[in-house]
Amino acid sequence: MKGVFSAPGDYIHFKSQVPLNKIPIGTKQWRYYDFGPKGVPPLICLPGTAGTADVYYKQIMSLSMKGYRVISVDIPHVWNHQEWIQSFEKFLDAIDVHHVHLYGTSLGGFLAQLFAQHRPRRVKSLILSNTFMETRSFASSMPWAPIVGWTPSFLLKRYVLTGIRDGPHEPFIADSVDFVVSQVETLSREDLASRLTLTVDSASVGPLLLSDSFITIMDTNDYSAIPQPLKDQLSERYPGARRAYLKTGGDFPFLSRPDEVNLHLQLHLRRVGVEAQPDLVRSIPKDGTGGSPSKENDKEKDGDDQPKDNGGNRESTSEENQLPQAPESSEFHGLDDQPLSNAKVCSLDHEDAIILMLSKTLLQSTWEFFIFSLLPFYVESLYVTSKYYGWKFRKLV
């Protein structure tokens, strides 16, 4: 892993456009992003043990611009699976969402299945990626599980990071690992302890009322922190589920293979009847409240994540500015606007290259002229010098 992490440009753009929401529900603090047309049934993303709501920023930006609503959440401090189910249901009530489509990776996929089992009326479909359906194997591999709640933060982080496969990786996978590691550094001791407790607390997913045709299993074929037998067990439980295997991508394909993942998510949503509303994308305000449920939640936004305005002058914000404008390094820029400017840059570069080539050719010709012109004089001087010293030598003898 790299020693110094530099946030990618598209993530910086995401933070400037999509506000972070924080709402207290009972004793729990929920941290989440909510972006896209509010009238569309949301896709809720649940991260793994090492993830945060930020790890799905590429899905939020891409799918929201296509007319889907995406909500990405942090797993709050819950210490058993029943508490998770109750807390997540209260969160959905607080943001006024009744029916959801859940996309969960690793621990998030396990929690999504548990919620679908115990609250079947609220879950309309599942996308499960590199996940599992029972925790016994994790509990047996962590003998110090009973004291995880009292373990110091640095030991918890070290344990979580050892589960992330280190290099060498191809660049995109290496960048995804670096990004997740940077997110782990932001997690508190309670964050890590509660998530590890959910992972090692002995439990298994029971039968779901949800039909297999509304489940998509999306796994990577190169490697994953989830043992293959657990992934096979998941596939055997849902034989009628759709398969969306990725040839490569590692543990975090939503970061390393965002185009493929976003395509499979979009296909899944279309298949289960979620209709995008791209005509409402332009109505999303620049402050990102298009997906927020109420004004009360807007007050809970993190001040550090508020996008900059035009000096407080709302009238100067045009409809064109209300759309998130991606930076040059982002995958979301409008290709239709690029050929003219790019052609201009390319033409200037071509002229510079021709001038440079001509200069080199002229310089080379000049040197060749001087060399071949002076070469006879140089040879003659060598001859005269050798003859003179030969004469001096004979005279001396």
Side-chain angles (χ1 to χ4, degrees):
M1 300 174 190
K2 300 177 183 178
V4 178
F5 172 76
S6 179
D10 52 354
Y11 175 66
I12 296 174
H13 171 70
F14 163 78
K15 295 289 287 183
S16 69
Q17 297 295 323
V18 183
L20 175 67
N21 298 282
K22 293 181 180 179
I23 56 172
I25 303 176
T27 59
K28 312 301 178 187
Q29 177 83 358
W30 283 85
R31 178 182 179 272
Y32 68 100
Y33 295 100
D34 185 352
F35 207 60
K38 190 178 177 182
V40 179
L43 173 69
I44 298 187
C45 305
L46 303 176
T49 305
T52 64
D54 298 65
V55 299
Y56 297 111
Y57 75 92
K58 295 187 177 183
Q59 284 66 53
I60 296 173
M61 294 298 289
S62 177
L63 295 179
S64 65
M65 297 307 296
K66 291 179 172 64
Y68 294 98
R69 180 183 179 186
V70 184
I71 301 175
S72 179
V73 304
D74 268 2
I75 300 175
H77 301 161
V78 293
W79 300 93
N80 58 69
H81 301 116
Q82 189 61 35
E83 187 181 10
W84 153 254
I85 296 168
Q86 296 174 354
S87 182
F88 188 54
E89 186 173 31
K90 291 178 180 178
F91 169 72
L92 296 180
D93 292 338
I95 64 174
D96 196 24
V97 170
H98 302 286
H99 302 113
V100 296
H101 302 268
L102 299 179
Y103 167 44
T105 60
S106 188
L107 175 61
F110 175 69
L111 297 178
Q113 295 174 81
L114 284 179
F115 189 78
Q117 175 189 349
H118 294 276
R119 299 294 186 271
R121 295 183 178 180
R122 306 199 73 159
V123 179
K124 295 303 180 181
S125 72
L126 291 172
I127 306 105
L128 308 173
S129 179
N130 291 340
T131 189
F132 50 91
M133 58 183 305
E134 59 91 11
T135 60
R136 288 189 298 270
S137 59
F138 298 108
S140 60
S141 64
M142 186 190 291
W144 49 280
I147 61 170
V148 67
W150 293 274
T151 305
S153 178
F154 74 95
L155 290 178
L156 295 175
K157 288 184 179 180
R158 180 179 299 178
Y159 180 81
V160 171
L161 293 177
T162 55
I164 301 176
R165 180 172 175 175
D166 202 354
H169 296 303
E170 62 174 273
F172 290 109
I173 296 180
D175 291 342
S176 71
V177 171
D178 288 346
F179 186 85
V180 173
V181 170
S182 72
Q183 294 299 304
V184 172
E185 295 298 328
T186 67
L187 297 176
S188 66
R189 192 192 70 83
E190 289 75 15
D191 290 327
L192 296 170
S194 62
R195 296 180 187 188
L196 289 175
T197 300
L198 293 175
T199 303
V200 300
D201 190 14
S202 182
S204 61
V205 178
L208 301 184
L209 295 181
L210 188 67
S211 172
D212 287 0
S213 60
F214 289 86
I215 300 175
T216 295
I217 298 176
M218 180 166 46
D219 289 339
T220 53
N221 288 338
D222 48 358
Y223 60 85
S224 171
I226 305 302
Q228 189 61 42
L230 294 183
K231 296 165 72 173
D232 295 338
Q233 184 184 23
L234 186 78
S235 298
E236 294 172 1
R237 169 63 70 89
Y238 310 116
R242 296 295 180 96
R243 300 296 193 273
Y245 293 121
L246 306 178
K247 186 176 181 181
T248 59
D251 287 308
F252 317 111
F254 43 87
L255 288 168
S256 60
R257 297 289 183 269
D259 292 338
E260 295 180 56
V261 171
N262 294 341
L263 176 61
H264 288 305
L265 292 176
Q266 190 173 354
L267 292 175
H268 172 89
L269 293 174
R270 287 179 179 177
R271 183 167 56 85
V272 299
V274 178
E275 296 183 3
Q277 297 184 13
D279 54 322
L280 297 182
V281 171
R282 286 187 175 273
S283 66
I284 299 175
K286 189 174 182 180
D287 61 0
T289 57
S292 299
S294 65
K295 294 182 179 179
E296 288 185 4
N297 293 341
D298 296 340
K299 297 178 181 179
E300 300 294 334
K301 295 170 187 173
D302 190 358
D304 296 336
D305 297 294
Q306 292 289 346
K308 295 180 181 180
D309 55 15
N310 297 327
N313 186 6
R314 296 185 180 180
E315 296 180 357
S316 64
T317 304
S318 64
E319 183 180 4
E320 185 177 277
N321 291 333
Q322 292 174 1
L323 277 174
Q325 300 295 325
E328 294 181 0
S329 61
S330 173
E331 64 185 53
F332 311 109
H333 39 178
L335 297 179
D336 296 336
D337 299 332
Q338 291 183 357
L340 183 60
S341 59
N342 287 349
K344 183 178 180 180
V345 174
C346 291
S347 64
L348 291 177
D349 293 341
H350 185 61
E351 292 176 2
D352 294 341
I354 293 176
I355 295 174
L356 182 61
M357 183 178 63
L358 292 176
S359 301
K360 289 183 178 179
T361 304
L362 180 60
L363 183 61
Q364 182 178 0
S365 302
T366 304
W367 275 109
E368 290 177 356
F369 172 77
F370 278 105
I371 289 174
F372 286 108
S373 299
L374 297 178
L375 184 60
F377 296 100
Y378 177 69
V379 173
E380 183 179 356
S381 65
L382 289 178
Y383 173 75
V384 173
T385 302
S386 61
K387 186 176 181 180
Y388 170 76
Y389 281 106
W391 176 79
K392 293 285 288 183
F393 179 74
R394 288 195 302 271
K395 186 178 179 181
L396 180 62
V397 172

